[in-house]
Amino acid sequence: MNDRTDSASIVDGRMTLPGVAGAFVQDAARPLAFTADGLVAISGHEWRDGVLHDAARIEGHARPDGATLARIGQTGPAQDLSLTIRSFPGDSAPLLRLSFPAGAQGDLDARLAAELFLPQPLFAGLRQDLAEGRAGSLSFTATTNLWLREGAGDDEPPVFHLAPEADGRPVQAHGRVQSISWRPLEPAADPHGLATGQPDHEAEEPEDPVAEQLRRINWSLKQVLIVLAFLMLIIAIK
């Protein structure tokens, strides 16, 4: 099977490019993991072809976990991606799309975006947990059609490549999500080193001076009563 892009030739699943040493292959058995944080739920609607559509989504920042993303023929792997999570009807497996905005300029970090498409029940559950503080960070793993340099299977960390442009347009990458999970944010460390639940004695309010004076008067009266009782006992004996 032969295929062509603007600058690449794909033959029997191996992609080669003029001026680039070696070849690139796809490995569906090697999943790509991501972590995400800064999740924010956004509500809204949009009109397409005169029809009102729900535009609710969750936005955040994603990073490849234990791997890097790059574009064949370009330097500067991407480590920070803008993440958008959307819902779709049905119960199919979640999908991942990596893409560049049309006509984008600049380095890979500034352009590459990740979109995660979740079945409606899963999206609703994530959104509810996000609202209730149980989804501060997210992690997911997907098999993708990204490319790996042939013979670099033991590279650590592995570098997943996006294909070069086709017909002058950036090529999208797709994937099928294998697993997804989320958890609350870890509690921030106490900068003063105080254990949670321990009282801060320095922050205690000063004692009420009136109450202190009343306690002293009370104590003095008790002493006088003890002395009077002792004197009365001596008089009774005599």
Side-chain angles (χ1 to χ4, degrees):
M1 174 181 176
N2 294 350
D3 200 358
R4 290 286 302 177
T5 67
D6 288 353
S7 57
S9 175
I10 302 175
V11 180
D12 295 332
R14 297 174 72 253
M15 180 166 60
T16 56
L17 293 93
V20 178
F24 297 85
V25 295
Q26 294 171 322
D27 186 357
R30 189 156 195 178
L32 176 59
F34 289 87
T35 58
D37 54 22
L39 303 177
V40 177
I42 298 176
S43 300
H45 294 81
E46 61 185 12
W47 281 260
R48 295 194 304 271
D49 300 325
V51 179
L52 182 65
H53 296 271
D54 184 5
R57 61 195 183 277
I58 297 172
E59 295 185 352
H61 302 282
R63 295 169 301 281
D65 187 11
T68 57
L69 288 172
R71 189 158 179 193
I72 296 174
Q74 285 188 347
T75 58
Q79 290 302 320
D80 190 9
L81 296 75
S82 62
L83 173 66
T84 303
I85 304 174
R86 307 181 190 276
S87 67
F88 67 87
D91 297 320
S92 301
L95 303 175
L96 171 67
R97 179 169 66 193
L98 303 172
S99 60
F100 296 87
Q105 300 295 324
D107 59 23
L108 189 60
D109 281 349
R111 291 181 290 164
L112 189 59
E115 291 179 282
L116 194 60
F117 297 89
L118 303 182
Q120 176 57 35
L122 183 57
F123 178 84
L126 172 58
R127 186 166 183 172
Q128 180 176 350
D129 283 356
L130 178 60
E132 296 176 358
R134 297 193 298 269
S137 63
L138 176 76
S139 60
F140 59 95
T141 303
T143 55
T144 70
N145 63 347
L146 294 167
W147 297 84
L148 294 162
R149 188 177 290 276
E150 188 176 38
D154 295 329
D155 281 358
E156 292 296 340
V159 181
F160 290 82
H161 295 83
L162 284 95
E165 292 183 350
D167 300 324
R169 294 175 298 176
V171 176
Q172 296 179 349
H174 301 88
R176 186 174 294 275
V177 176
Q178 292 182 322
S179 64
I180 183 170
S181 61
W182 53 85
R183 66 184 65 187
L185 286 176
E186 296 293 335
D190 189 341
H192 302 293
L194 297 174
T196 302
Q198 295 296 322
D200 183 356
H201 296 290
E202 295 181 0
E204 289 181 357
E205 295 184 2
E207 193 168 4
D208 186 352
V210 175
E212 176 63 19
Q213 289 297 327
L214 289 175
R215 274 196 295 271
R216 290 181 180 179
I217 292 171
N218 240 0
W219 183 83
S220 299
L221 288 175
K222 286 180 181 178
Q223 297 301 312
V224 171
L225 289 174
I226 291 173
V227 172
L228 288 175
F230 182 70
L231 290 175
M232 291 177 66
L233 179 63
I234 293 176
I235 293 171
I237 293 175
K238 289 181 177 182

